[in-house]
PDB file of all heavy atoms in Angstrom:
ATOM      1  N   ALA P 257      23.106   6.854 -11.956  1.00  0.00           N
ATOM      2  CA  ALA P 257      23.771   7.721 -10.883  1.00  0.00           C
ATOM      3  C   ALA P 257      23.385   9.097 -11.235  1.00  0.00           C
ATOM      4  O   ALA P 257      23.070   9.865 -10.318  1.00  0.00           O
ATOM      5  CB  ALA P 257      25.268   7.511 -10.962  1.00  0.00           C
ATOM      6  N   MET P 258      23.318   9.518 -12.478  1.00  0.00           N
ATOM      7  CA  MET P 258      23.050  10.897 -12.788  1.00  0.00           C
ATOM      8  C   MET P 258      21.600  11.233 -12.421  1.00  0.00           C
ATOM      9  O   MET P 258      21.312  12.237 -11.763  1.00  0.00           O
ATOM     10  CB  MET P 258      23.308  11.213 -14.377  1.00  0.00           C
ATOM     11  CG  MET P 258      24.762  11.378 -14.591  1.00  0.00           C
ATOM     12  SD  MET P 258      25.150  11.233 -16.425  1.00  0.00           S
ATOM     13  CE  MET P 258      24.649  12.732 -17.015  1.00  0.00           C
ATOM     14  N   VAL P 259      20.718  10.319 -12.832  1.00  0.00           N
ATOM     15  CA  VAL P 259      19.363  10.510 -12.478  1.00  0.00           C
ATOM     16  C   VAL P 259      18.987  10.574 -11.002  1.00  0.00           C
ATOM     17  O   VAL P 259      18.451  11.608 -10.465  1.00  0.00           O
ATOM     18  CB  VAL P 259      18.442   9.467 -13.100  1.00  0.00           C
ATOM     19  CG1 VAL P 259      16.935   9.597 -12.735  1.00  0.00           C
ATOM     20  CG2 VAL P 259      18.528   9.503 -14.648  1.00  0.00           C
ATOM     21  N   LEU P 260      19.632   9.725 -10.182  1.00  0.00           N
ATOM     22  CA  LEU P 260      19.326   9.605  -8.858  1.00  0.00           C
ATOM     23  C   LEU P 260      20.013  10.767  -8.140  1.00  0.00           C
ATOM     24  O   LEU P 260      19.480  11.399  -7.196  1.00  0.00           O
ATOM     25  CB  LEU P 260      19.837   8.220  -8.216  1.00  0.00           C
ATOM     26  CG  LEU P 260      19.063   6.936  -8.694  1.00  0.00           C
ATOM     27  CD1 LEU P 260      19.569   5.742  -8.106  1.00  0.00           C
ATOM     28  CD2 LEU P 260      17.608   7.146  -8.581  1.00  0.00           C
ATOM     29  N   ALA P 261      21.267  11.071  -8.598  1.00  0.00           N
ATOM     30  CA  ALA P 261      21.969  12.195  -7.971  1.00  0.00           C
ATOM     31  C   ALA P 261      21.170  13.440  -8.172  1.00  0.00           C
ATOM     32  O   ALA P 261      21.006  14.214  -7.213  1.00  0.00           O
ATOM     33  CB  ALA P 261      23.367  12.360  -8.582  1.00  0.00           C
ATOM     34  N   ILE P 262      20.698  13.679  -9.299  1.00  0.00           N
ATOM     35  CA  ILE P 262      19.962  14.985  -9.526  1.00  0.00           C
ATOM     36  C   ILE P 262      18.759  15.018  -8.651  1.00  0.00           C
ATOM     37  O   ILE P 262      18.492  15.957  -8.005  1.00  0.00           O
ATOM     38  CB  ILE P 262      19.522  15.078 -11.110  1.00  0.00           C
ATOM     39  CG1 ILE P 262      20.692  15.176 -11.986  1.00  0.00           C
ATOM     40  CG2 ILE P 262      18.391  16.028 -11.201  1.00  0.00           C
ATOM     41  CD1 ILE P 262      20.329  14.944 -13.453  1.00  0.00           C
ATOM     42  N   THR P 263      17.996  13.931  -8.633  1.00  0.00           N
ATOM     43  CA  THR P 263      16.820  13.905  -7.795  1.00  0.00           C
ATOM     44  C   THR P 263      17.048  14.183  -6.352  1.00  0.00           C
ATOM     45  O   THR P 263      16.574  15.037  -5.634  1.00  0.00           O
ATOM     46  CB  THR P 263      16.139  12.499  -7.906  1.00  0.00           C
ATOM     47  OG1 THR P 263      16.106  12.117  -9.256  1.00  0.00           O
ATOM     48  CG2 THR P 263      14.688  12.547  -7.296  1.00  0.00           C
ATOM     49  N   PHE P 264      18.160  13.439  -5.716  1.00  0.00           N
ATOM     50  CA  PHE P 264      18.313  13.641  -4.303  1.00  0.00           C
ATOM     51  C   PHE P 264      18.985  14.870  -4.098  1.00  0.00           C
ATOM     52  O   PHE P 264      18.669  15.542  -2.980  1.00  0.00           O
ATOM     53  CB  PHE P 264      18.987  12.316  -3.844  1.00  0.00           C
ATOM     54  CG  PHE P 264      18.178  11.157  -3.800  1.00  0.00           C
ATOM     55  CD1 PHE P 264      18.380  10.084  -4.596  1.00  0.00           C
ATOM     56  CD2 PHE P 264      16.968  11.187  -2.995  1.00  0.00           C
ATOM     57  CE1 PHE P 264      17.476   9.020  -4.641  1.00  0.00           C
ATOM     58  CE2 PHE P 264      16.098  10.114  -3.094  1.00  0.00           C
ATOM     59  CZ  PHE P 264      16.363   9.027  -3.866  1.00  0.00           C
ATOM     60  N   THR P 265      19.900  15.416  -4.856  1.00  0.00           N
ATOM     61  CA  THR P 265      20.441  16.671  -4.466  1.00  0.00           C
ATOM     62  C   THR P 265      19.385  17.721  -4.424  1.00  0.00           C
ATOM     63  O   THR P 265      19.343  18.626  -3.615  1.00  0.00           O
ATOM     64  CB  THR P 265      21.573  17.114  -5.501  1.00  0.00           C
ATOM     65  OG1 THR P 265      22.147  15.951  -6.148  1.00  0.00           O
ATOM     66  CG2 THR P 265      22.579  18.074  -4.968  1.00  0.00           C
ATOM     67  N   ALA P 266      18.532  17.726  -5.525  1.00  0.00           N
ATOM     68  CA  ALA P 266      17.530  18.772  -5.625  1.00  0.00           C
ATOM     69  C   ALA P 266      16.577  18.673  -4.315  1.00  0.00           C
ATOM     70  O   ALA P 266      16.263  19.712  -3.679  1.00  0.00           O
ATOM     71  CB  ALA P 266      16.723  18.530  -6.835  1.00  0.00           C
TER      72      ALA P 266
END
Side-chain angles (χ1 to χ4, degrees):
Chain P
M258 279 162 86
V259 172
L260 297 180
I262 291 168
T263 314
F264 289 114
T265 331

